[in-house]
Amino acid sequence: MTLQEYDYARESPSKLAASCLLLALIMKNLGGWTPTLEYYSGYSAQDLHPLVKRLNFLLTYQPRDKLNAVRSKYSHRVFFEVAKVTPMDMLKLEETLTSC
């Protein structure tokens, strides 16, 4: 989704990937940012917080008229129906990020 948004073009691909991973870990209740992830990614959880919030905002307020083919593809069980995952509540995300 970020490929079509100019606001994300200035972010480094590694930081974007790390932020997406942190958001996915939080959304699926799989834990937080571990020292191992920090070591290998080069980013602390605090470095990623602003971008994680922006990504969740993008998921929450995505226009439904764009990316229909992508949404349809990733709604299939072969891709674990990731397009159907509901975004996190912004307040709950903020609480979770402050505890990381």
Side-chain angles (χ1 to χ4, degrees):
M1 292 179 60
T2 60
L3 292 175
Q4 293 190 354
E5 301 292 333
Y6 288 117
D7 293 342
Y8 295 92
R10 66 174 178 236
E11 300 293 344
S12 73
S14 62
K15 188 172 186 179
L16 189 58
S19 297
C20 288
L21 177 59
L22 178 55
L23 181 58
L25 290 171
I26 293 170
M27 288 174 75
K28 299 299 273 179
N29 293 319
L30 296 174
W33 203 246
T34 64
T36 303
L37 289 170
E38 183 174 341
Y39 176 80
Y40 284 108
S41 71
Y43 298 106
S44 69
Q46 289 73 26
D47 295 338
L48 303 175
H49 288 181
L51 188 51
V52 169
K53 291 177 198 175
R54 286 178 45 217
L55 288 167
N56 191 62
F57 185 83
L58 179 65
L59 288 174
T60 304
Y61 298 105
Q62 61 183 319
R64 294 290 175 195
D65 58 335
K66 291 174 30 177
L67 303 173
N68 287 328
V70 174
R71 189 172 294 106
S72 175
K73 176 181 178 178
Y74 287 99
S75 293
H76 195 273
R77 65 183 173 92
V78 172
F79 296 103
F80 304 101
E81 299 176 336
V82 296
K84 295 180 181 179
V85 175
T86 57
M88 289 199 62
D89 177 64
M90 296 300 262
L91 292 175
K92 184 177 179 184
L93 178 62
E94 182 71 38
E95 291 172 8
T96 306
L97 287 174
T98 56
S99 67
C100 287

